[in-house]
């Protein structure tokens, strides 16, 4: 069964070249993998927390478009189909 992997990109957590290359190594040659979709971190979940009476405490920033484009480039070196969503 063909599948797509969706990877949230969080600055300072998993946006490094080293992490991206490790992902590329892990996924290279996976015959059923259709595509890797990079998802820029966003703060939209914060509104949902408020509705539940919870406090949203995450202070991560969305990655710059250049970072996402660089990660697409790196994963492409491993022969992977890669896309990324636009910033929200």
């Amino acid at each position: 069964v063909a599948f797509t992997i969706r990877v949230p990109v969080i600055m300072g957590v998993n946006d490094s070249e080293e992490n991206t290359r490790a992902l590329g190594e892990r996924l290279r040659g996976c015959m059923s993998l259709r595509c890797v979709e990079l998802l820029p971190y966003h703060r939209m979940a914060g509104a949902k927390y408020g509705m539940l009476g919870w406090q949203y405490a995450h202070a991560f920033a969305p990655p710059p478009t250049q970072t996402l484009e660089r990660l697409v480039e790196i994963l492409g070196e491993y022969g992977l189909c890669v896309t990324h969503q636009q910033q929200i």
Side-chain angles (χ1 to χ4, degrees), residues 31-87:
M31 302 306 290
S32 298
L33 178 61
R34 183 179 313 140
C35 198
V36 177
E37 185 177 354
L38 301 177
L39 309 171
Y41 176 84
H42 58 78
R43 296 183 179 108
M44 289 178 61
K48 295 175 187 172
Y49 275 65
M51 290 186 296
L52 295 170
W54 299 346
Q55 184 173 357
Y56 188 70
H58 299 286
F60 299 115
T65 301
Q66 309 91 289
T67 298
L68 291 170
E69 290 171 355
R70 177 65 182 138
L71 301 183
V72 168
E73 195 176 286
I74 292 169
L75 291 172
E77 293 173 13
Y78 292 87
L80 301 170
C81 164
V82 188
T83 62
H84 71 84
Q85 292 185 352
Q86 297 299 317
Q87 300 288 356

Side-chain angles (χ1 to χ4, degrees), residues 3 5 7 17-33 36 74-75 77-80:
F3 65 97
I5 291 201
V7 180
E17 183 169 334
E18 177 184 11
N19 184 76
T20 305
R21 290 196 181 281
L23 180 63
E25 286 289 337
R26 184 77 166 132
L27 298 177
R28 180 190 351 219
C30 185
M31 302 306 290
S32 298
L33 178 61
V36 177
I74 292 169
L75 291 172
E77 293 173 13
Y78 292 87
L80 301 170

